[in-house]
């Protein structure tokens, strides 16, 4: 038995999974999940660098996580960085500073690696999976689409469309103007449409993961906050469309009052637009929400390493 901490350092959120890996039974058991919005990718799309304030937020978050890691007797820490770190010109300096101040060294993974690990993590523990199925992961800086089956991945792509990136690139305020909304929607549509032919066969069974989709599921289900019971929830296109329309005419304060956490409220519209356009273009009537994702893929990779 080995206890691992898997850290997903995303553009908007830093997530922690503490899990037990059992090589004898080939199983992963969740011990703890935690998340904090650090907005590491703030301004990266325009400036090309991660700013100093964002690094401070990340370091403070990781110091809190280290307390949990010590408390739970973790034996191995694995941390990966995604779109914000991939895109940042000062990536190496950020990684070195984090390592110096926390002892945690972040591995920056490619979009292809992120897609693969997300695929593994999203459906970890799921049985009787259909073939083929698709996973969509809407992040702050990128969106991953992965097609495959229980036997493995058939196709994967990482698109430079994410909730933070779109919000910063297209919206001058919340709510945005009609022209800004239309421009963002058109850009999202073009990006996704380019992938239709490759992924269309998975449209009947789609699993959705990460903050945007889980939050949409939470609101559609009528929950005041995140709950593990969202795992496996069916989110319908009509619900996504309705929530997108509500966000498009709401202020940040009004969106928070709906039940969206403050650090996500200013970018949830952009995230919902990505999902809406995906479902519209693929004619996908509903998706299944997973509360797992990349950090579970990191843990699954560590479990496979124990077995080999």
């Amino acid at each position: 038995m080995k206890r691992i901490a898997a850290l997903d350092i995303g553009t908007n959120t830093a997530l922690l999974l503490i899990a037990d890996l059992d090589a004898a039974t080939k199983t992963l058991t969740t011990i703890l999940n935690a998340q904090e919005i650090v907005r590491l990718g703030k301004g990266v799309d325009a400036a090309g660098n991660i700013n100093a304030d964002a690094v401070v937020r990340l370091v403070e978050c990781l110091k809190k996580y280290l307390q949990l890691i010590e408390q739970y007797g973790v034996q191995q820490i694995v941390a990966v960085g995604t779109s914000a770190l991939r895109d940042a010109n000062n990536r190496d300096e950020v990684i070195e500073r984090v390592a110096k101040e926390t002892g945690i060294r972040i591995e920056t993974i490619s979009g292809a690696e992120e897609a693969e690990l997300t695929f593994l993590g999203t459906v970890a523990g799921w049985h009787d999976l259909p073939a083929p199925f698709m996973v969509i992961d809407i992040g702050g800086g990128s969106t991953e689409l992965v097609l495959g089956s229980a036997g493995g991945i058939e196709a994967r792509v990482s698109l430079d469309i994410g909730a933070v990136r779109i919000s910063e690139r297209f919206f001058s305020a919340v709510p945005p103007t009609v022209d800004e909304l239309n421009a963002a929607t058109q850009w999202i549509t073009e990006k996704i449409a380019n992938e239709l032919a490759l992924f269309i066969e998975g449209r009947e069974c789609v699993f959705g993961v990460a903050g945007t989709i889980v939050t949409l599921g939470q609101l559609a289900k009528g929950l005041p906050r995140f709950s593990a019971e969202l795992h496996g929830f069916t989110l319908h296109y009509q619900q996504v469309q309705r929530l997108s329309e509500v966000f498009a005419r709401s202020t940040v304060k009004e969106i928070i009052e709906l039940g969206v956490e403050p650090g996500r409220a200013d970018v949830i519209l952009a995230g919902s637009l990505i999902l809406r356009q995906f479902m519209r273009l693929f004619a996908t009537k509903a998706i299944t929400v997973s509360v797992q994702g990349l950090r579970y893929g990191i843990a699954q990779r560590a479990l496979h390493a124990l077995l080999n």
Side-chain angles (χ1 to χ4, degrees):
M1 186 82 72
K2 185 174 187 178
R3 182 159 290 184
I4 186 174
L7 287 154
D8 168 6
I9 313 300
T11 301
N12 197 43
T13 312
L15 300 104
L16 165 68
L17 165 68
I18 296 177
D20 282 341
L21 310 179
D22 190 333
T25 60
K26 302 180 182 180
T27 57
L28 179 160
T29 302
T30 300
I31 303 301
L32 177 77
N33 269 303
Q35 72 163 32
E36 187 165 324
I37 293 177
V38 297
R39 193 62 65 86
L40 185 66
K42 185 175 183 180
V44 171
D45 187 59
N49 286 315
I50 293 171
N51 67 53
D53 289 343
V55 178
V56 170
R57 290 193 297 271
L58 175 60
V59 168
E60 290 306 309
C61 171
L62 293 181
K63 286 180 178 178
K64 293 177 191 175
Y65 285 170
L66 281 171
Q67 293 176 357
L68 292 170
I69 286 167
E70 182 178 355
Q71 177 185 339
Y72 282 89
V74 167
Q75 297 160 287
Q76 180 185 4
I77 301 172
V78 182
V80 305
T82 58
S83 179
L85 279 169
R86 280 198 298 269
D87 293 349
N89 296 323
N90 63 339
R91 173 180 64 236
D92 292 342
E93 298 107 85
V94 172
I95 290 172
E96 288 303 320
R97 179 173 169 186
V98 168
K100 182 179 179 181
E101 297 196 31
T102 70
I104 296 172
R105 180 159 292 277
I106 302 169
E107 169 197 359
T108 305
I109 58 174
S110 68
E113 288 176 289
E114 182 179 358
E116 181 175 350
L117 289 171
T118 297
F119 181 85
L120 289 173
T122 298
V123 298
W126 234 297
H127 302 289
D128 301 321
L129 290 165
F133 65 87
M134 186 166 26
V135 170
I136 177 171
D137 171 9
I138 299 173
S142 65
T143 292
E144 281 66 47
L145 302 178
V146 194
L147 177 72
S149 66
I153 293 171
E154 297 174 19
R156 61 191 176 191
V157 67
S158 182
L159 306 173
D160 284 335
I161 50 174
V164 174
R165 190 188 300 273
I166 290 168
S167 298
E168 291 185 351
R169 183 173 292 195
F170 290 96
F171 302 158
S172 60
V174 180
T177 67
V178 172
D179 286 345
E180 289 172 341
L181 191 63
N182 289 340
T185 302
Q186 181 179 347
W187 193 59
I188 293 166
T189 301
E190 290 171 357
K191 291 281 188 178
I192 295 174
N194 290 336
E195 309 302 331
L196 269 173
L198 192 59
F199 293 92
I200 193 69
E201 64 177 312
R203 67 178 181 175
E204 295 296 333
C205 182
V206 180
F207 293 86
V209 68
T212 287
I213 291 174
V214 172
T215 301
L216 291 173
Q218 170 205 322
L219 299 181
K221 193 172 172 61
L223 299 176
R225 63 187 65 83
F226 169 82
S227 169
E229 68 182 89
L230 287 165
H231 194 57
F233 175 71
T234 301
L235 180 62
H236 294 274
Y237 172 79
Q238 292 89 342
Q239 295 169 316
V240 176
Q241 169 69 9
R242 177 181 61 81
L243 287 167
S244 298
E245 291 173 350
V246 171
F247 297 149
R249 59 175 184 266
S250 301
T251 64
V252 170
K253 181 175 182 292
E254 290 167 337
I255 291 172
I256 292 171
E257 289 171 350
L258 291 172
V260 179
E261 57 189 321
R264 197 178 304 283
D266 61 330
V267 298
I268 190 67
L269 169 60
S272 67
L273 290 177
I274 295 170
L275 182 59
R276 187 190 72 182
Q277 294 309 105
F278 166 82
M279 296 180 78
R280 179 177 288 176
L281 289 166
F282 279 87
T284 297
K285 296 177 181 178
I287 68 168
T288 301
V289 175
S290 171
V291 301
Q292 297 180 168
L294 176 59
R295 67 198 185 284
Y296 278 82
I298 298 166
Q300 286 287 106
R301 182 176 66 177
L303 176 58
H304 292 163
L306 282 180
L307 300 174
N308 297 324

